Amino acid sequence: EDQVTQSPEALRLQEGESSSLNCSYTVSGLRGLFWYRQDPGKGPEFLFTLYSAGEEKEKERLKATLTKKESFLHITAPKPEDSATYLCAVQGGAQKLVFGQGTRLTINP
Amino acid sequence: DAGVIQSPRHEVTEMGQEVTLRCKPISGHDYLFWYRQTMMRGLELLIYFNNNVPIDDSGMPEDRFSAKMPNASFSTLKIQPSEPRDSAVYFCASGRDTNTEAFFGQGTRLTVV
């Protein structure tokens, strides 16, 4: 069974303090690993898809990386507007996305 | 494009009543997904359609849940009869493929009392 574990559950940072969020996964035949951002009261918003180990993608202050067992979402010099819940999901042979519980990120000004 | 549109945004109903949630996917997207989100279980896939045909409904919790997609621009998720444990936020999402990004609606917050 495909599984995703995200850590930490919650993270508080000061504005400008860089850090990383972790997504560990087990999947039968990885077809893709997805990162989403979710703001309170809204639906998840797509950030990145990674398809193979070694792949990296960047968007503004965010960079996602992938190994055979985990993915990291690195956030560099975050701003308060980066506060949100970040969700990781994997797609395996069954073709459906399995989501982790998310990391709730708070950036204090 | 207006994105994925869900209605209603909020629904409060009494136990035993029928509840119907509605979704309009993004035009041109062949895949439509229904998810449920709770604090305890996170985001779970209930069912997904490809070209209006249900492909995988293994996430539908019980026979009380049913979903239809009569055409490419409309889908419903029905719960009959509803129970308090069905209280959750229900999301609809659409996409061009299963392994590309899915676009989520704003969700319907369902409360069954």
Side-chain angles (χ1 to χ4, degrees), chain A residues 31-32 34 36 38 41-46 49 51 87 91 94-101 104, chain B residues 9 35 37 39-43 45 48 56 58-59 91 97-106:
Chain A
R31 289 167 55 92
F34 299 76
Y36 283 83
Q38 186 174 24
K42 295 191 175 182
E45 177 186 343
F46 171 77
T49 308
Y51 294 103
L87 298 167
Q91 183 190 40
Q95 296 197 11
K96 57 186 180 183
L97 286 184
V98 175
F99 280 84
Q101 292 283 67
R104 190 170 64 255
Chain B
R9 290 295 311 278
Y35 286 89
Q37 188 174 40
M39 289 292 293
M40 288 295 296
R41 300 176 67 90
L43 201 58
L45 178 66
Y48 78 91
D56 185 345
S58 59
F91 288 103
D97 198 346
T98 55
N99 67 337
T100 58
E101 63 267 32
F103 295 83
F104 283 75
Q106 295 279 54

Side-chain angles (χ1 to χ4, degrees), chain B residues 23-97:
Chain B
C23 175
K24 176 179 167 56
I26 294 172
S27 176
H29 283 184
D30 293 332
Y31 287 82
L32 183 140
F33 310 86
W34 282 102
Y35 286 89
R36 178 173 67 177
Q37 188 174 40
T38 62
M39 289 292 293
M40 288 295 296
R41 300 176 67 90
L43 201 58
E44 301 174 283
L45 178 66
L46 300 177
I47 185 172
Y48 78 91
F49 295 82
N50 177 213
N51 291 324
N52 313 336
V53 176
I55 303 300
D56 185 345
D57 65 355
S58 59
M60 297 286 261
E62 299 172 34
D63 291 345
R64 300 184 295 107
F65 286 69
S66 63
K68 294 182 179 180
M69 193 166 184
N71 57 63
S73 59
F74 184 65
S75 178
T76 59
L77 178 67
K78 185 178 294 186
I79 308 172
Q80 166 63 18
S82 58
E83 296 184 2
R85 59 194 168 117
D86 301 330
S87 298
V89 181
Y90 291 81
F91 288 103
C92 175
S94 70
R96 297 187 188 281
D97 198 346

Side-chain angles (χ1 to χ4, degrees), chain A residues 16 26 28 34 42 45-46 54 60 70 75 80 84 89 98 100 107-108:
Chain A
T26 54
S28 157
F34 299 76
K42 295 191 175 182
E45 177 186 343
F46 171 77
E60 295 181 355
E70 58 192 350
I75 182 161
V98 175
I107 308 298
N108 295 317

